[in-house]
Amino acid sequence: AAAVGAWTLYPGRNILIVDFGTAITIDFVSERGEYLGGNISPGADTRFRALNRFTDTLPLCSFPQQEKPTLLGNSTRSAIESGVVNGIVYEIEGYIRDLEQRYEDLRIVFTGGESDFFAKRLKNTIFATYDLVAYGLNRILEYNAK
Protein backbone atom coordinates (compact mmCIF):
# COMPACT_ATOMS: atom_id res chain seq x y z
CA ALA A 1 0.00 0.00 0.00
CA ALA A 2 2.88 2.39 0.78
CA ALA A 3 4.43 1.64 -2.62
CA VAL A 4 1.12 2.34 -4.39
CA GLY A 5 0.70 5.56 -2.42
CA ALA A 6 4.22 6.71 -3.27
CA TRP A 7 3.80 5.88 -6.96
CA THR A 8 0.48 7.76 -7.03
CA LEU A 9 2.13 10.85 -5.53
CA TYR A 10 5.37 10.64 -7.56
CA PRO A 11 4.67 8.85 -10.87
CA GLY A 12 7.59 8.44 -13.24
CA ARG A 13 10.18 8.64 -10.45
CA ASN A 14 12.40 6.04 -8.84
CA ILE A 15 11.12 5.91 -5.27
CA LEU A 16 12.62 4.61 -2.04
CA ILE A 17 9.90 4.29 0.61
CA VAL A 18 10.91 3.92 4.26
CA ASP A 19 8.15 3.24 6.79
CA PHE A 20 9.26 3.73 10.40
CA GLY A 21 7.18 1.77 12.88
CA THR A 22 7.46 -1.38 14.98
CA ALA A 23 9.36 -2.65 11.97
CA ILE A 24 11.17 -0.55 9.39
CA THR A 25 10.03 -1.47 5.92
CA ILE A 26 12.07 -0.38 2.95
CA ASP A 27 10.50 -0.63 -0.51
CA PHE A 28 11.59 0.43 -3.97
CA VAL A 29 9.44 1.32 -6.98
CA SER A 30 11.09 2.02 -10.34
CA GLU A 31 10.30 4.97 -12.57
CA ARG A 32 8.22 2.54 -14.67
CA GLY A 33 6.01 1.77 -11.67
CA GLU A 34 7.50 -1.67 -11.05
CA TYR A 35 7.74 -2.79 -7.45
CA LEU A 36 11.29 -4.17 -7.29
CA GLY A 37 11.22 -5.40 -3.70
CA GLY A 38 12.06 -4.36 -0.21
CA ASN A 39 13.43 -5.28 3.18
CA ILE A 40 12.17 -5.42 6.74
CA SER A 41 14.22 -4.77 9.87
CA PRO A 42 13.34 -4.07 13.51
CA GLY A 43 12.10 -0.58 14.32
CA ALA A 44 13.65 1.58 17.03
CA ASP A 45 11.27 0.58 19.83
CA THR A 46 11.71 -3.08 18.91
CA ARG A 47 15.48 -2.68 19.10
CA PHE A 48 15.31 -0.93 22.47
CA ARG A 49 13.01 -3.65 23.89
CA ALA A 50 15.15 -6.47 22.48
CA LEU A 51 18.31 -5.14 24.12
CA ASN A 52 16.50 -4.96 27.45
CA ARG A 53 14.69 -8.29 27.18
CA PHE A 54 17.44 -10.49 25.77
CA THR A 55 20.27 -9.29 28.00
CA ASP A 56 20.55 -9.65 31.74
CA THR A 57 21.53 -6.14 32.73
CA LEU A 58 20.80 -3.61 29.99
CA PRO A 59 18.10 -1.04 30.86
CA LEU A 60 15.05 -0.33 28.73
CA CYS A 61 15.80 2.89 26.86
CA SER A 62 13.96 5.04 24.35
CA PHE A 63 14.72 7.86 21.95
CA PRO A 64 17.34 10.29 23.25
CA GLN A 65 16.19 13.73 24.36
CA GLN A 66 18.92 15.63 22.50
CA GLU A 67 18.37 16.59 18.86
CA LYS A 68 21.18 14.36 17.67
CA PRO A 69 22.66 11.52 19.71
CA THR A 70 26.38 11.42 20.25
CA LEU A 71 28.46 9.27 17.97
CA LEU A 72 29.62 7.20 20.93
CA GLY A 73 27.84 6.91 24.25
CA ASN A 74 29.63 7.66 27.50
CA SER A 75 27.23 5.62 29.68
CA THR A 76 25.27 2.43 29.17
CA ARG A 77 22.08 4.39 28.51
CA SER A 78 23.65 6.83 26.03
CA ALA A 79 25.47 3.94 24.30
CA ILE A 80 22.16 2.13 23.77
CA GLU A 81 20.39 5.31 22.61
CA SER A 82 23.21 6.25 20.24
CA GLY A 83 23.62 2.70 19.03
CA VAL A 84 19.97 2.26 18.10
CA VAL A 85 19.43 5.69 16.55
CA ASN A 86 22.76 5.87 14.72
CA GLY A 87 22.40 2.26 13.61
CA ILE A 88 19.09 3.06 11.94
CA VAL A 89 20.45 6.28 10.40
CA TYR A 90 23.46 4.43 8.97
CA GLU A 91 21.21 1.63 7.71
CA ILE A 92 18.97 4.05 5.82
CA GLU A 93 21.92 6.12 4.55
CA GLY A 94 23.36 2.91 3.11
CA TYR A 95 20.18 2.11 1.19
CA ILE A 96 19.99 5.69 -0.10
CA ARG A 97 23.66 5.69 -1.18
CA ASP A 98 23.44 2.33 -2.96
CA LEU A 99 20.17 3.12 -4.73
CA GLU A 100 21.37 6.59 -5.81
CA GLN A 101 24.35 4.89 -7.47
CA ARG A 102 22.04 2.60 -9.45
CA TYR A 103 19.02 4.80 -10.19
CA GLU A 104 18.77 8.42 -11.32
CA ASP A 105 16.29 10.88 -9.93
CA LEU A 106 15.67 8.97 -6.69
CA ARG A 107 12.78 10.28 -4.61
CA ILE A 108 13.01 9.37 -0.93
CA VAL A 109 9.74 9.13 0.98
CA PHE A 110 9.50 8.56 4.73
CA THR A 111 6.27 7.55 6.44
CA GLY A 112 5.23 6.13 9.78
CA GLY A 113 5.27 7.34 13.34
CA GLU A 114 9.01 7.95 13.59
CA SER A 115 9.50 9.46 10.13
CA ASP A 116 10.00 13.04 11.36
CA PHE A 117 12.54 11.95 13.97
CA PHE A 118 14.71 10.23 11.35
CA ALA A 119 14.12 12.73 8.53
CA LYS A 120 15.81 15.37 10.71
CA ARG A 121 18.88 13.14 11.08
CA LEU A 122 19.52 12.37 7.41
CA LYS A 123 21.21 14.78 5.03
CA ASN A 124 19.18 13.86 1.95
CA THR A 125 16.04 15.59 0.72
CA ILE A 126 13.29 13.59 2.34
CA PHE A 127 9.56 13.82 1.73
CA ALA A 128 7.64 12.80 4.86
CA THR A 129 4.08 11.66 4.19
CA TYR A 130 2.31 10.37 7.29
CA ASP A 131 -0.74 8.93 5.58
CA LEU A 132 1.07 7.25 2.70
CA VAL A 133 -0.33 3.77 3.46
CA ALA A 134 -3.88 5.11 3.77
CA TYR A 135 -3.40 7.03 0.53
CA GLY A 136 -2.21 3.86 -1.21
CA LEU A 137 -5.07 1.76 0.20
CA ASN A 138 -7.55 4.34 -1.08
CA ARG A 139 -5.92 4.26 -4.52
CA ILE A 140 -6.14 0.43 -4.55
CA LEU A 141 -9.81 0.63 -3.55
CA GLU A 142 -10.50 3.12 -6.35
CA TYR A 143 -8.68 0.91 -8.86
CA ASN A 144 -10.59 -2.22 -7.83
CA ALA A 145 -13.93 -0.37 -7.96
CA LYS A 146 -13.53 0.20 -11.72
Side-chain angles (χ1 to χ4, degrees), residues 25-48:
T25 59
I26 299 158
D27 296 293
F28 183 77
V29 178
S30 78
E31 63 188 0
R32 293 186 301 268
E34 301 166 311
Y35 177 77
L36 298 182
N39 294 326
I40 301 172
S41 66
D45 286 337
T46 303
R47 294 175 197 215
F48 286 125

PDB file of all heavy atoms in Angstrom, residues 25-48:
ATOM      1  N   THR A  25      10.140  -0.847   7.235  1.00  0.00           N
ATOM      2  CA  THR A  25      10.026  -1.467   5.921  1.00  0.00           C
ATOM      3  C   THR A  25      10.629  -0.531   4.895  1.00  0.00           C
ATOM      4  O   THR A  25      10.445   0.681   4.948  1.00  0.00           O
ATOM      5  CB  THR A  25       8.565  -1.794   5.550  1.00  0.00           C
ATOM      6  OG1 THR A  25       7.796  -0.594   5.556  1.00  0.00           O
ATOM      7  CG2 THR A  25       7.968  -2.790   6.536  1.00  0.00           C
ATOM      8  N   ILE A  26      11.378  -1.119   3.989  1.00  0.00           N
ATOM      9  CA  ILE A  26      12.071  -0.381   2.949  1.00  0.00           C
ATOM     10  C   ILE A  26      11.627  -0.978   1.621  1.00  0.00           C
ATOM     11  O   ILE A  26      11.788  -2.181   1.397  1.00  0.00           O
ATOM     12  CB  ILE A  26      13.598  -0.502   3.139  1.00  0.00           C
ATOM     13  CG1 ILE A  26      13.972   0.101   4.489  1.00  0.00           C
ATOM     14  CG2 ILE A  26      14.341   0.154   1.985  1.00  0.00           C
ATOM     15  CD1 ILE A  26      15.273  -0.377   5.032  1.00  0.00           C
ATOM     16  N   ASP A  27      11.008  -0.157   0.776  1.00  0.00           N
ATOM     17  CA  ASP A  27      10.496  -0.627  -0.507  1.00  0.00           C
ATOM     18  C   ASP A  27      11.015   0.267  -1.620  1.00  0.00           C
ATOM     19  O   ASP A  27      11.285   1.446  -1.407  1.00  0.00           O
ATOM     20  CB  ASP A  27       8.961  -0.611  -0.505  1.00  0.00           C
ATOM     21  CG  ASP A  27       8.388  -1.572   0.522  1.00  0.00           C
ATOM     22  OD1 ASP A  27       8.551  -2.789   0.336  1.00  0.00           O
ATOM     23  OD2 ASP A  27       7.796  -1.109   1.517  1.00  0.00           O
ATOM     24  N   PHE A  28      11.105  -0.317  -2.816  1.00  0.00           N
ATOM     25  CA  PHE A  28      11.591   0.434  -3.971  1.00  0.00           C
ATOM     26  C   PHE A  28      10.656   0.223  -5.149  1.00  0.00           C
ATOM     27  O   PHE A  28      10.295  -0.906  -5.477  1.00  0.00           O
ATOM     28  CB  PHE A  28      13.009   0.003  -4.351  1.00  0.00           C
ATOM     29  CG  PHE A  28      13.570   0.803  -5.487  1.00  0.00           C
ATOM     30  CD1 PHE A  28      14.046   2.095  -5.274  1.00  0.00           C
ATOM     31  CD2 PHE A  28      13.593   0.293  -6.766  1.00  0.00           C
ATOM     32  CE1 PHE A  28      14.536   2.855  -6.324  1.00  0.00           C
ATOM     33  CE2 PHE A  28      14.090   1.039  -7.825  1.00  0.00           C
ATOM     34  CZ  PHE A  28      14.564   2.324  -7.598  1.00  0.00           C
ATOM     35  N   VAL A  29      10.266   1.340  -5.777  1.00  0.00           N
ATOM     36  CA  VAL A  29       9.445   1.319  -6.977  1.00  0.00           C
ATOM     37  C   VAL A  29      10.220   2.052  -8.070  1.00  0.00           C
ATOM     38  O   VAL A  29      10.717   3.161  -7.858  1.00  0.00           O
ATOM     39  CB  VAL A  29       8.077   2.022  -6.742  1.00  0.00           C
ATOM     40  CG1 VAL A  29       7.254   2.033  -8.015  1.00  0.00           C
ATOM     41  CG2 VAL A  29       7.316   1.343  -5.612  1.00  0.00           C
ATOM     42  N   SER A  30      10.333   1.422  -9.234  1.00  0.00           N
ATOM     43  CA  SER A  30      11.090   2.020 -10.337  1.00  0.00           C
ATOM     44  C   SER A  30      10.285   3.118 -11.019  1.00  0.00           C
ATOM     45  O   SER A  30       9.071   3.234 -10.835  1.00  0.00           O
ATOM     46  CB  SER A  30      11.464   0.947 -11.372  1.00  0.00           C
ATOM     47  OG  SER A  30      10.336   0.642 -12.184  1.00  0.00           O
ATOM     48  N   GLU A  31      10.957   3.889 -11.835  1.00  0.00           N
ATOM     49  CA  GLU A  31      10.300   4.973 -12.574  1.00  0.00           C
ATOM     50  C   GLU A  31       9.217   4.450 -13.515  1.00  0.00           C
ATOM     51  O   GLU A  31       8.347   5.197 -13.954  1.00  0.00           O
ATOM     52  CB  GLU A  31      11.331   5.801 -13.342  1.00  0.00           C
ATOM     53  CG  GLU A  31      12.065   5.013 -14.397  1.00  0.00           C
ATOM     54  CD  GLU A  31      13.221   5.783 -15.018  1.00  0.00           C
ATOM     55  OE1 GLU A  31      13.460   6.932 -14.641  1.00  0.00           O
ATOM     56  OE2 GLU A  31      13.889   5.213 -15.887  1.00  0.00           O
ATOM     57  N   ARG A  32       9.249   3.158 -13.835  1.00  0.00           N
ATOM     58  CA  ARG A  32       8.221   2.537 -14.673  1.00  0.00           C
ATOM     59  C   ARG A  32       7.046   2.010 -13.847  1.00  0.00           C
ATOM     60  O   ARG A  32       6.140   1.385 -14.379  1.00  0.00           O
ATOM     61  CB  ARG A  32       8.831   1.418 -15.506  1.00  0.00           C
ATOM     62  CG  ARG A  32       9.825   1.930 -16.540  1.00  0.00           C
ATOM     63  CD  ARG A  32      10.320   0.825 -17.455  1.00  0.00           C
ATOM     64  NE  ARG A  32      10.967  -0.253 -16.730  1.00  0.00           N
ATOM     65  CZ  ARG A  32      12.270  -0.334 -16.473  1.00  0.00           C
ATOM     66  NH1 ARG A  32      13.070   0.616 -16.884  1.00  0.00           N
ATOM     67  NH2 ARG A  32      12.769  -1.361 -15.826  1.00  0.00           N
ATOM     68  N   GLY A  33       7.096   2.223 -12.530  1.00  0.00           N
ATOM     69  CA  GLY A  33       6.006   1.773 -11.672  1.00  0.00           C
ATOM     70  C   GLY A  33       6.121   0.328 -11.246  1.00  0.00           C
ATOM     71  O   GLY A  33       5.163  -0.236 -10.727  1.00  0.00           O
ATOM     72  N   GLU A  34       7.295  -0.268 -11.439  1.00  0.00           N
ATOM     73  CA  GLU A  34       7.504  -1.672 -11.049  1.00  0.00           C
ATOM     74  C   GLU A  34       7.967  -1.732  -9.597  1.00  0.00           C
ATOM     75  O   GLU A  34       8.926  -1.046  -9.220  1.00  0.00           O
ATOM     76  CB  GLU A  34       8.585  -2.314 -11.922  1.00  0.00           C
ATOM     77  CG  GLU A  34       8.269  -2.300 -13.388  1.00  0.00           C
ATOM     78  CD  GLU A  34       9.501  -2.632 -14.223  1.00  0.00           C
ATOM     79  OE1 GLU A  34      10.565  -2.024 -13.990  1.00  0.00           O
ATOM     80  OE2 GLU A  34       9.374  -3.509 -15.087  1.00  0.00           O
ATOM     81  N   TYR A  35       7.291  -2.561  -8.823  1.00  0.00           N
ATOM     82  CA  TYR A  35       7.744  -2.794  -7.448  1.00  0.00           C
ATOM     83  C   TYR A  35       8.907  -3.778  -7.533  1.00  0.00           C
ATOM     84  O   TYR A  35       8.747  -4.908  -7.974  1.00  0.00           O
ATOM     85  CB  TYR A  35       6.608  -3.373  -6.606  1.00  0.00           C
ATOM     86  CG  TYR A  35       7.052  -3.707  -5.207  1.00  0.00           C
ATOM     87  CD1 TYR A  35       7.213  -2.705  -4.260  1.00  0.00           C
ATOM     88  CD2 TYR A  35       7.345  -5.016  -4.830  1.00  0.00           C
ATOM     89  CE1 TYR A  35       7.639  -2.989  -2.979  1.00  0.00           C
ATOM     90  CE2 TYR A  35       7.771  -5.310  -3.547  1.00  0.00           C
ATOM     91  CZ  TYR A  35       7.916  -4.300  -2.626  1.00  0.00           C
ATOM     92  OH  TYR A  35       8.347  -4.587  -1.362  1.00  0.00           O
ATOM     93  N   LEU A  36      10.097  -3.336  -7.144  1.00  0.00           N
ATOM     94  CA  LEU A  36      11.291  -4.166  -7.291  1.00  0.00           C
ATOM     95  C   LEU A  36      11.689  -4.884  -6.004  1.00  0.00           C
ATOM     96  O   LEU A  36      12.667  -5.620  -5.992  1.00  0.00           O
ATOM     97  CB  LEU A  36      12.462  -3.317  -7.813  1.00  0.00           C
ATOM     98  CG  LEU A  36      12.240  -2.710  -9.201  1.00  0.00           C
ATOM     99  CD1 LEU A  36      13.478  -1.933  -9.637  1.00  0.00           C
ATOM    100  CD2 LEU A  36      11.890  -3.780 -10.226  1.00  0.00           C
ATOM    101  N   GLY A  37      10.950  -4.664  -4.930  1.00  0.00           N
ATOM    102  CA  GLY A  37      11.222  -5.395  -3.695  1.00  0.00           C
ATOM    103  C   GLY A  37      11.489  -4.480  -2.525  1.00  0.00           C
ATOM    104  O   GLY A  37      11.396  -3.260  -2.623  1.00  0.00           O
ATOM    105  N   GLY A  38      11.808  -5.127  -1.415  1.00  0.00           N
ATOM    106  CA  GLY A  38      12.061  -4.362  -0.208  1.00  0.00           C
ATOM    107  C   GLY A  38      12.658  -5.218   0.885  1.00  0.00           C
ATOM    108  O   GLY A  38      12.930  -6.402   0.683  1.00  0.00           O
ATOM    109  N   ASN A  39      12.852  -4.602   2.021  1.00  0.00           N
ATOM    110  CA  ASN A  39      13.429  -5.282   3.185  1.00  0.00           C
ATOM    111  C   ASN A  39      12.667  -4.873   4.432  1.00  0.00           C
ATOM    112  O   ASN A  39      12.043  -3.815   4.476  1.00  0.00           O
ATOM    113  CB  ASN A  39      14.907  -4.928   3.346  1.00  0.00           C
ATOM    114  CG  ASN A  39      15.751  -5.463   2.215  1.00  0.00           C
ATOM    115  OD1 ASN A  39      15.481  -6.516   1.672  1.00  0.00           O
ATOM    116  ND2 ASN A  39      16.776  -4.718   1.843  1.00  0.00           N
ATOM    117  N   ILE A  40      12.790  -5.698   5.457  1.00  0.00           N
ATOM    118  CA  ILE A  40      12.168  -5.416   6.743  1.00  0.00           C
ATOM    119  C   ILE A  40      13.218  -5.616   7.823  1.00  0.00           C
ATOM    120  O   ILE A  40      13.927  -6.625   7.826  1.00  0.00           O
ATOM    121  CB  ILE A  40      10.975  -6.362   7.008  1.00  0.00           C
ATOM    122  CG1 ILE A  40       9.917  -6.213   5.912  1.00  0.00           C
ATOM    123  CG2 ILE A  40      10.374  -6.094   8.392  1.00  0.00           C
ATOM    124  CD1 ILE A  40       8.807  -7.248   5.987  1.00  0.00           C
ATOM    125  N   SER A  41      13.316  -4.638   8.721  1.00  0.00           N
ATOM    126  CA  SER A  41      14.218  -4.765   9.868  1.00  0.00           C
ATOM    127  C   SER A  41      13.493  -4.246  11.106  1.00  0.00           C
ATOM    128  O   SER A  41      12.467  -3.582  10.994  1.00  0.00           O
ATOM    129  CB  SER A  41      15.534  -4.014   9.619  1.00  0.00           C
ATOM    130  OG  SER A  41      15.319  -2.630   9.547  1.00  0.00           O
ATOM    131  N   PRO A  42      14.009  -4.532  12.297  1.00  0.00           N
ATOM    132  CA  PRO A  42      13.338  -4.075  13.511  1.00  0.00           C
ATOM    133  C   PRO A  42      13.322  -2.555  13.611  1.00  0.00           C
ATOM    134  O   PRO A  42      14.299  -1.889  13.290  1.00  0.00           O
ATOM    135  CB  PRO A  42      14.183  -4.666  14.651  1.00  0.00           C
ATOM    136  CG  PRO A  42      15.034  -5.707  14.025  1.00  0.00           C
ATOM    137  CD  PRO A  42      15.206  -5.334  12.593  1.00  0.00           C
ATOM    138  N   GLY A  43      12.204  -2.009  14.070  1.00  0.00           N
ATOM    139  CA  GLY A  43      12.101  -0.582  14.322  1.00  0.00           C
ATOM    140  C   GLY A  43      12.839  -0.201  15.591  1.00  0.00           C
ATOM    141  O   GLY A  43      13.336  -1.063  16.333  1.00  0.00           O
ATOM    142  N   ALA A  44      12.896   1.089  15.870  1.00  0.00           N
ATOM    143  CA  ALA A  44      13.649   1.585  17.027  1.00  0.00           C
ATOM    144  C   ALA A  44      13.119   1.019  18.336  1.00  0.00           C
ATOM    145  O   ALA A  44      13.895   0.500  19.150  1.00  0.00           O
ATOM    146  CB  ALA A  44      13.630   3.107  17.054  1.00  0.00           C
ATOM    147  N   ASP A  45      11.816   1.097  18.570  1.00  0.00           N
ATOM    148  CA  ASP A  45      11.273   0.582  19.831  1.00  0.00           C
ATOM    149  C   ASP A  45      11.524  -0.912  19.968  1.00  0.00           C
ATOM    150  O   ASP A  45      11.806  -1.395  21.062  1.00  0.00           O
ATOM    151  CB  ASP A  45       9.778   0.883  19.941  1.00  0.00           C
ATOM    152  CG  ASP A  45       9.499   2.343  20.241  1.00  0.00           C
ATOM    153  OD1 ASP A  45      10.397   3.022  20.791  1.00  0.00           O
ATOM    154  OD2 ASP A  45       8.387   2.807  19.935  1.00  0.00           O
ATOM    155  N   THR A  46      11.436  -1.648  18.882  1.00  0.00           N
ATOM    156  CA  THR A  46      11.711  -3.084  18.913  1.00  0.00           C
ATOM    157  C   THR A  46      13.161  -3.339  19.289  1.00  0.00           C
ATOM    158  O   THR A  46      13.465  -4.242  20.079  1.00  0.00           O
ATOM    159  CB  THR A  46      11.388  -3.715  17.543  1.00  0.00           C
ATOM    160  OG1 THR A  46      10.018  -3.432  17.230  1.00  0.00           O
ATOM    161  CG2 THR A  46      11.630  -5.208  17.542  1.00  0.00           C
ATOM    162  N   ARG A  47      14.059  -2.535  18.766  1.00  0.00           N
ATOM    163  CA  ARG A  47      15.483  -2.683  19.095  1.00  0.00           C
ATOM    164  C   ARG A  47      15.749  -2.361  20.567  1.00  0.00           C
ATOM    165  O   ARG A  47      16.484  -3.084  21.239  1.00  0.00           O
ATOM    166  CB  ARG A  47      16.335  -1.781  18.189  1.00  0.00           C
ATOM    167  CG  ARG A  47      16.276  -2.195  16.731  1.00  0.00           C
ATOM    168  CD  ARG A  47      17.023  -1.233  15.828  1.00  0.00           C
ATOM    169  NE  ARG A  47      16.616  -1.425  14.448  1.00  0.00           N
ATOM    170  CZ  ARG A  47      17.421  -1.294  13.409  1.00  0.00           C
ATOM    171  NH1 ARG A  47      18.689  -0.954  13.561  1.00  0.00           N
ATOM    172  NH2 ARG A  47      16.974  -1.480  12.186  1.00  0.00           N
ATOM    173  N   PHE A  48      15.137  -1.271  21.053  1.00  0.00           N
ATOM    174  CA  PHE A  48      15.307  -0.931  22.470  1.00  0.00           C
ATOM    175  C   PHE A  48      14.786  -2.064  23.366  1.00  0.00           C
ATOM    176  O   PHE A  48      15.446  -2.459  24.327  1.00  0.00           O
ATOM    177  CB  PHE A  48      14.568   0.367  22.810  1.00  0.00           C
ATOM    178  CG  PHE A  48      15.229   1.620  22.308  1.00  0.00           C
ATOM    179  CD1 PHE A  48      14.524   2.512  21.508  1.00  0.00           C
ATOM    180  CD2 PHE A  48      16.541   1.928  22.650  1.00  0.00           C
ATOM    181  CE1 PHE A  48      15.115   3.685  21.056  1.00  0.00           C
ATOM    182  CE2 PHE A  48      17.153   3.093  22.201  1.00  0.00           C
ATOM    183  CZ  PHE A  48      16.429   3.969  21.403  1.00  0.00           C
TER     184      PHE A  48
END
